[in-house]
Amino acid sequence: MTISNLQNGHSNPNINEPAFLAIQKNKPTFHIWRIENFQLISIPKDSYGTFFKGDTYLIYHCTEIQKTLYQHIHIWIGSESSIDEQGVAAYKMVELDEFLGSAPVQHRECQSYESERFLSYFKQKGGLKYQNGGVQSGFHHYEKNFEPRLFQVKGKRNIRLNELASIEWTSMNRNDSFLIDLSATVFVWNGKLANKMEKLQALNKARMLRDERNGECNIVIVEDGEEKDLSKDELKLFESKFPLKEKLSKLRNDVSNQDDLKFEKDSYSYLKLYKCSDALDDGDGMVKIKIIEQKTGPLYKEDLNSDDSYIVDNGKHGIWVWIGKKSSQKERQEAMRNALGFLQAKGYNEKQQNAIKVTRVIDESEPFEFKALFNRWPELNETKGLGRTFSNNLIAKTLQTKFDASILHSNHQIAAESQMVDDGKGHKQIWFVSNFDIHQLEPSKYSEFHTGDCYIIHYKYKLENTEKHILYYWIGKKSTLDEQGTVALKVIELDNEICSGQAMQVRIVEGKEPIHFMSMFDGRIIIYKGGRASGFKNMNNSDDVQLAENYMLQIKSYGSSNIKAIQVDCNASNLNSNDVFIICHNLSVFYIWCGKSSTGDEREAAKSIVLSAKKEPEIIIESQERAEFWNILGGKTEYHKVKRPINTNQATFTRLFEISNSSGRINVNEIYQFTQNDLNTNDVMLLDAWDKIFLWIGLNSNKTEKEESEKIAIEYLKSDPSQRPNDLPIYKIKQGFEPPIFTGYFGPWDFSYWNNKNDVDYNLIKQELQSKNQPQLFQLAIKEKSLNGIKTRDAIDFNKYPKYSYEQLIKPVDELPENVSTESKEVHLTEEDFMKIFKISFQQFKEKPVWKQKELKRSVRLF
């Protein structure tokens, strides 16, 4: 794949942009500039969050987390902005990047397709507000005479307020909420399928408009299908813009254009790595960048070479350009341009290109969203901020030396890092699944599991004299699907029966046991082959789990508090120099074979297991075996002798997502810089802690979300582009019963928060807003002579503009007549010429979407 770019010849080693002088380097700050006449103009802070569709903006955001600065530069491109403005913004982004030492992450944001990170900047402002017009059309920005406006309220957590071109039924749909601003009256119209958050945000926006007008504004809330319930005056005013007789034929039932985007079939798991070769100049002023596909996922940090630059293609979910620290300045400057060329070369249309996030990252300054695409991202030192690594073994060892559970509950961060709620010495009860029911396990067998079985462990402990419950359910790798289904159902039953529905439920797949689970068994468990006969395929078999006379256990240590004895086939080929093995012969003779690279913890664990069976083992050191030993294993043969490499720390990332499967497929929205306040009581939230998943069940989440949450978590893991294992532990936590191992990820935690915070009642707010309405304002509006003839923003009086020939209007800008609007040249055509040039009338032209109008104007050279 080859990408061509025309070079503009810019060379600017010294940055002299006056707009950047306001930036305090290496300090948290937030700046927004708009491109006006090829210059950067600073936007007043009270206007942050409002973007004009005809403009392009440059945004710099720098925040400090745990003494580490995170810098991000964004360009925001309005749907009606000019190519010239976009070019200036791109160039200024490069200048700003150089001014800040080339450390920031660069992002390209297009209207309606902004990244979750960008949207998070404006959360306190109530989301983004898109307004019609741009700097080039003066009558759009500052208006002396009020003109009615129609806004679409779209989104669930990050709201977008989008001003629409025309005030009529065809501009609305049943999936969203809308604001109809008629100055003295604001209507809030809610489509039948609008979500609760959209409705609430629409009410908040209406309240803000009334506050701006010192209370001299009525608010009327209209529910889809209930328009006739309005009072006589309200209905008359509403129908001046939206005649009810036209509703059925004109109101759209479809969702937004963004939901209609069609891509080639892919998913979050789609991942490809491309290498960007050196630029080749053919001598024609064109620079061609050769893009060579390297591999598909999974990706590893080692796939990136600091001498080169790469493109990581995550399909419709984003394009990342990674710049090696030894790459040239030109490669850094051209990174975003090359990414856009890459999208074009892949055949995406303009609409699809706008929807795909484009981000440039620098070697050693990668954000965690980028690192999370990789299956392995080792870091020798602790990573920055919330993504820092830690050692479970080290923490567990420290805690077990002198354990004080109160430390975990007073310092939630330590609890989250250690994943310990206490020392594991609480009361436990264990059941196994057999024939679609659960049966209690003998206490003498509590540390023994079978790979063909499923188990439930009820763990009970006290915290400040309050009884707490955990229900672990352990799934053997060889267990049947009906056993797995049974154990999931029985956990819910036990929670309701013996835990009053307050237990933390933890799903564990064999081999992924968390540290607290291990601590309940003094850090050591045995996993035998086989299991009880259960399931549809084994209904006629016995319930025997007796061990064979000869068996072998491989002792694997993951630290002194995490040791597992796993049964393997009893033959010499399964030996491994890195581990310790227990070999049982005729259920009476026990050998402990110690590999040369095994650890003392493994050897001690093996002795403990044999001694618990009241047998005295014979210790055998590797290379000192007798012939008798090899005979028991069926003869001497080759086995694994290569020393196991020491693992470097894997960077871990803590991320919070709002998850939904309402559209029939998994939809995941990330929440940046999250706190306890971001846990929405109406949702199920997913906290991804890299080697474990937490599901937080909001009190008001619907039945389907509660029942399907575990499946959604598993699907989330399956679609993860880093291709982590799908069998990570999954913790299900109910609102109001959050343990410190969960709350520690959220910073300060207020346990009374849910008690003091009443869920917002939509009907109460609706009633309160409408109670302040003033009847005389309706009367004044109705008496206005222009009531039935108020012009909407796009209802331009075509005939009032001076007329010129088509030949005059396609001349360069500096040769146009003085009173020609450069943004709307088409209004200066005569009706006859307009029909001749566009093949449709002006009214038909204005009824088309803005993007189609632009396309038509381009085709006749009037754009």
Side-chain angles (χ1 to χ4, degrees):
M1 183 183 294
T2 302
I3 300 169
S4 298
N5 286 318
L6 184 63
Q7 297 302 297
N8 54 25
H10 285 301
S11 177
N12 194 6
N14 300 311
I15 307 301
N16 295 315
E17 172 56 60
F20 299 157
L21 298 178
I23 298 174
Q24 289 185 291
K25 290 185 179 181
N26 302 319
K27 289 188 178 181
T29 187
F30 189 24
H31 292 275
I32 301 180
W33 301 272
R34 185 172 59 225
I35 308 300
E36 295 187 13
N37 298 318
F38 303 99
Q39 301 295 321
L40 287 181
I41 304 299
S42 182
I43 299 299
K45 291 193 181 296
D46 59 4
S47 296
Y48 282 13
T50 298
F51 293 86
F52 286 87
K53 300 178 184 179
D55 287 336
T56 303
Y57 295 77
L58 180 67
I59 298 95
Y60 172 58
H61 186 271
C62 177
T63 187
E64 183 177 359
I65 301 175
Q66 296 183 359
K67 298 183 179 180
T68 300
L69 287 178
Y70 294 87
Q71 302 177 83
H72 294 265
I73 301 173
H74 306 254
I75 53 171
W76 185 90
I77 300 170
S79 60
E80 300 169 18
S81 62
S82 70
I83 299 297
D84 287 341
E85 285 181 344
Q86 295 175 29
V88 172
Y91 178 58
K92 291 298 179 182
M93 179 165 69
V94 172
E95 281 192 348
L96 179 57
D97 182 67
E98 293 178 4
F99 178 76
L100 296 168
S102 297
V105 177
Q106 295 180 9
H107 307 261
R108 173 180 174 265
E109 312 282 353
C110 293
Q111 179 187 325
S112 300
Y113 305 105
E114 296 86 357
S115 65
E116 294 297 323
R117 176 182 291 280
F118 184 81
L119 293 172
S120 72
Y121 301 158
F122 307 98
K123 189 183 296 183
Q124 300 303 318
K125 289 274 189 178
L128 297 184
K129 180 180 180 181
Y130 306 138
Q131 286 199 217
N132 288 331
V135 71
Q136 292 299 325
S137 46
F139 64 87
H140 280 315
H141 272 231
Y142 305 102
E143 300 161 300
K144 294 179 181 178
N145 298 318
F146 179 85
E147 292 182 4
R149 298 178 294 180
L150 175 64
F151 290 97
Q152 178 188 34
V153 183
K154 181 93 179 144
K156 188 172 182 181
R157 181 172 295 274
N158 293 306
I159 298 295
R160 294 176 172 92
L161 191 66
N162 180 27
E163 185 178 0
L164 301 175
S166 59
I167 304 180
E168 54 186 332
W169 284 115
T170 54
S171 298
M172 306 214 289
N173 65 70
R174 298 186 187 274
N175 296 274
D176 302 314
S177 293
F178 295 83
L179 281 181
I180 305 149
D181 185 3
L182 302 180
S183 184
T185 300
V186 173
F187 287 95
V188 176
W189 186 88
N190 296 311
K192 283 185 177 179
L193 302 178
N195 67 57
K196 181 179 179 181
M197 287 303 297
E198 287 175 342
K199 292 181 179 181
L200 287 170
Q201 287 290 350
L203 296 186
N204 289 334
K205 296 294 183 184
R207 188 202 300 269
M208 290 170 62
L209 287 173
R210 179 156 67 188
D211 291 344
E212 289 174 3
R213 294 161 193 174
N214 299 317
E216 295 299 307
C217 172
N218 286 342
I219 297 174
V220 181
I221 295 95
V222 189
E223 304 298 336
D224 187 0
E226 300 177 11
E227 292 87 357
K228 290 184 178 179
D229 294 339
L230 296 172
S231 70
K232 182 179 177 181
D233 289 343
E234 291 170 347
L235 183 58
K236 188 172 183 179
L237 197 56
F238 183 79
E239 282 205 286
S240 70
K241 291 295 161 192
F242 298 94
L244 293 185
K245 63 182 181 181
E246 297 179 2
K247 179 182 177 183
L248 191 61
S249 61
K250 292 188 175 181
L251 180 64
R252 293 188 295 119
N253 290 310
D254 61 332
V255 295
S256 70
N257 291 335
Q258 183 174 356
D259 298 323
D260 289 338
L261 276 177
K262 302 296 182 184
F263 285 91
E264 294 179 7
K265 186 178 179 181
D266 63 19
S267 67
Y268 276 102
S269 58
Y270 177 90
L271 202 63
K272 284 189 177 182
L273 180 68
Y274 296 84
K275 181 179 176 181
C276 304
S277 71
D278 293 336
L280 303 172
D281 193 335
D282 291 341
D284 57 359
M286 301 291 290
V287 173
K288 295 181 179 179
I289 307 297
K290 195 170 184 181
I291 307 295
I292 306 169
E293 182 178 337
Q294 299 292 291
K295 63 180 295 192
T296 57
L299 303 183
Y300 306 93
K301 185 180 181 182
E302 295 81 2
D303 294 327
L304 305 175
N305 187 323
S306 294
D307 292 327
D308 299 308
S309 59
Y310 296 84
I311 289 176
V312 177
D313 181 6
N314 193 203
K316 65 181 180 181
H317 306 291
I319 298 294
W320 300 78
V321 185
W322 184 87
I323 306 297
K325 59 187 176 183
K326 296 180 183 178
S327 60
S328 67
Q329 184 181 22
K330 189 171 188 60
E331 285 179 302
R332 294 170 186 249
Q333 293 174 343
E334 296 294 329
M336 293 295 281
R337 189 195 300 242
N338 291 338
L340 296 178
F342 176 79
L343 290 178
Q344 294 171 5
K346 286 197 71 175
Y348 290 122
N349 62 37
E350 182 180 353
K351 206 172 185 181
Q352 291 171 335
Q353 290 177 41
N354 289 342
I356 296 174
K357 313 296 183 296
V358 178
T359 310
R360 186 215 72 172
V361 299
I362 298 293
D363 190 0
E364 296 187 352
S365 294
E366 301 89 350
F368 66 83
E369 308 99 289
F370 178 78
K371 295 177 182 177
L373 294 172
F374 289 71
N375 183 278
R376 184 175 62 245
W377 192 279
E379 298 189 341
L380 296 177
N381 301 314
E382 290 190 335
T383 58
K384 302 172 183 176
L386 296 175
R388 64 195 181 90
T389 62
F390 55 87
S391 168
N392 272 340
N393 296 329
L394 180 60
I395 291 174
K397 188 179 291 185
T398 302
L399 289 172
Q400 289 178 1
T401 302
K402 188 178 181 180
F403 192 92
D404 182 358
S406 64
I407 292 176
L408 300 177
H409 297 279
S410 61
N411 190 327
H412 292 196
Q413 187 173 358
I414 291 178
E417 292 178 348
S418 67
Q419 288 300 294
M420 297 285 286
V421 297
D422 70 350
D423 58 0
K425 303 299 182 185
H427 178 267
K428 59 181 174 286
Q429 190 175 4
I430 303 180
W431 296 264
F432 63 87
V433 173
S434 179
N435 291 323
F436 306 98
D437 205 352
I438 54 174
H439 310 272
Q440 288 199 27
L441 189 68
E442 295 177 26
S444 62
K445 304 285 187 181
Y446 269 11
S447 62
E448 299 176 8
F449 298 85
H450 289 261
T451 190
D453 286 337
C454 293
Y455 299 81
I456 297 175
I457 301 93
H458 173 218
Y459 183 75
K460 187 165 55 176
Y461 66 102
K462 281 198 172 183
L463 171 62
E464 298 176 352
N465 296 321
T466 302
E467 198 168 73
K468 300 289 184 180
H469 303 269
I470 303 175
L471 284 169
Y472 290 102
Y473 53 113
W474 187 93
I475 299 172
K477 288 182 178 178
K478 298 294 179 66
S479 61
T480 62
L481 290 176
D482 46 287
E483 284 175 321
Q484 295 173 23
T486 299
V487 77
L489 290 173
K490 293 298 179 181
V491 161
I492 296 172
E493 289 181 13
L494 285 175
D495 187 11
N496 293 326
E497 290 173 8
I498 65 177
C499 307
S500 302
Q502 299 177 7
M504 175 172 68
Q505 299 174 19
V506 187
R507 175 184 184 270
I508 299 171
V509 175
E510 177 190 336
K512 302 293 182 180
E513 296 79 8
I515 192 167
H516 182 263
F517 180 90
M518 296 299 297
S519 73
M520 295 190 300
F521 307 101
D522 295 323
R524 299 168 187 180
I525 63 172
I526 304 172
I527 302 175
Y528 292 112
K529 285 187 168 188
R532 294 163 181 82
S534 183
F536 293 110
K537 295 181 180 178
N538 308 314
M539 289 291 284
N540 298 321
N541 294 341
S542 68
D543 209 31
D544 186 18
V545 291
Q546 295 296 318
L547 286 169
E549 291 186 350
N550 299 323
Y551 64 88
M552 184 161 78
L553 299 174
Q554 182 176 13
I555 313 299
K556 294 183 72 68
S557 172
Y558 304 92
S560 60
S561 58
N562 190 354
I563 299 174
K564 297 165 190 173
I566 303 169
Q567 185 178 357
V568 295
D569 289 339
C570 192
N571 58 64
S573 63
N574 281 323
L575 294 174
N576 189 315
S577 295
N578 295 282
D579 298 315
V580 172
F581 290 78
I582 296 172
I583 296 95
C584 173
H585 181 56
N586 292 333
L587 293 177
S588 58
V589 179
F590 286 84
Y591 299 93
I592 295 180
W593 182 87
C594 303
K596 289 181 179 179
S597 300
S598 62
T599 66
D601 288 336
E602 290 172 333
R603 293 190 285 271
E604 289 302 315
K607 290 178 187 177
S608 175
I609 290 170
V610 175
L611 291 174
S612 67
K614 298 181 179 178
K615 301 291 182 180
E616 190 67 35
E618 179 180 341
I619 308 298
I620 297 176
I621 304 300
E622 184 180 4
S623 76
Q624 298 180 18
E625 303 87 353
R626 302 190 308 273
E628 177 189 353
F629 174 80
W630 294 119
N631 290 336
I632 292 172
L633 295 181
K636 188 175 182 179
T637 186
E638 290 296 318
Y639 58 85
H640 188 84
K641 296 181 181 180
V642 178
K643 188 171 182 178
R644 190 177 291 139
I646 298 174
N647 290 329
T648 55
N649 285 336
Q650 167 66 40
T652 60
F653 316 101
T654 308
R655 308 170 73 180
L656 182 67
F657 296 89
E658 187 174 45
I659 56 177
S660 171
N661 65 341
S662 58
S663 61
R665 68 191 197 295
I666 300 299
N667 186 29
V668 182
N669 292 316
E670 184 163 6
I671 300 165
Y672 288 87
Q673 298 181 29
F674 57 85
T675 64
Q676 182 182 4
N677 297 346
D678 290 304
L679 295 173
N680 191 329
T681 60
N682 299 300
D683 291 321
V684 172
M685 313 293 290
L686 186 150
L687 182 72
D688 181 354
W690 186 256
D691 58 353
K692 64 191 75 67
I693 298 291
F694 292 93
L695 288 168
W696 182 86
I697 313 298
L699 192 62
N700 299 321
S701 55
N702 63 52
K703 183 180 178 182
T704 301
E705 287 176 331
K706 291 176 181 177
E707 292 177 348
E708 298 294 318
S709 59
E710 185 178 306
K711 291 181 182 178
I712 292 174
I714 294 171
E715 286 301 314
Y716 166 78
L717 283 171
K718 286 181 178 178
S719 66
D720 181 12
S722 73
Q723 298 190 28
R724 280 177 288 171
N726 298 331
D727 54 3
L728 297 181
I730 298 174
Y731 295 69
K732 280 199 283 188
I733 297 169
K734 299 179 183 68
Q735 177 189 329
F737 301 98
E738 298 84 0
I741 59 172
F742 174 79
T743 61
Y745 291 108
F746 290 82
W749 185 273
D750 180 4
F751 281 100
S752 63
Y753 179 75
W754 309 121
N755 300 328
N756 300 331
K757 186 178 184 299
N758 295 321
D759 192 37
V760 179
D761 191 315
Y762 168 76
N763 290 320
L764 284 178
I765 296 178
K766 177 179 174 180
Q767 183 179 348
E768 181 262 328
L769 288 176
Q770 295 189 131
S771 68
K772 296 181 180 179
N773 285 347
Q774 305 173 51
Q776 69 272 21
L777 292 178
F778 290 125
Q779 295 295 326
L780 287 172
I782 291 169
K783 288 179 181 178
E784 285 287 331
K785 293 180 181 179
S786 59
L787 176 63
N788 296 315
I790 298 176
K791 294 182 176 60
T792 61
R793 235 169 244 278
D794 70 326
I796 298 172
D797 186 352
F798 181 72
N799 293 319
K800 79 174 185 179
Y801 289 90
K803 304 302 178 183
Y804 297 96
S805 68
Y806 174 70
E807 289 72 20
Q808 287 176 294
L809 293 174
I810 61 173
K811 288 183 178 180
V813 174
D814 55 353
E815 296 180 23
L816 288 173
E818 288 185 5
N819 54 1
V820 167
S821 170
T822 57
E823 293 290 310
S824 305
K825 296 179 185 177
E826 69 278 4
V827 300
H828 298 283
L829 290 167
T830 64
E831 288 186 18
E832 184 180 352
D833 284 345
F834 194 96
M835 181 64 77
K836 182 179 177 182
I837 301 298
F838 286 95
K839 311 299 183 189
I840 56 175
S841 69
F842 180 74
Q843 185 57 39
Q844 291 173 318
F845 173 81
K846 293 307 293 181
E847 288 174 356
K848 294 188 178 296
V850 172
W851 67 269
K852 186 62 177 178
Q853 293 179 22
K854 289 166 65 176
E855 205 172 77
L856 288 170
K857 290 200 288 185
R858 277 198 190 98
S859 68
V860 296
R861 299 166 60 195
L862 285 174
F863 183 73

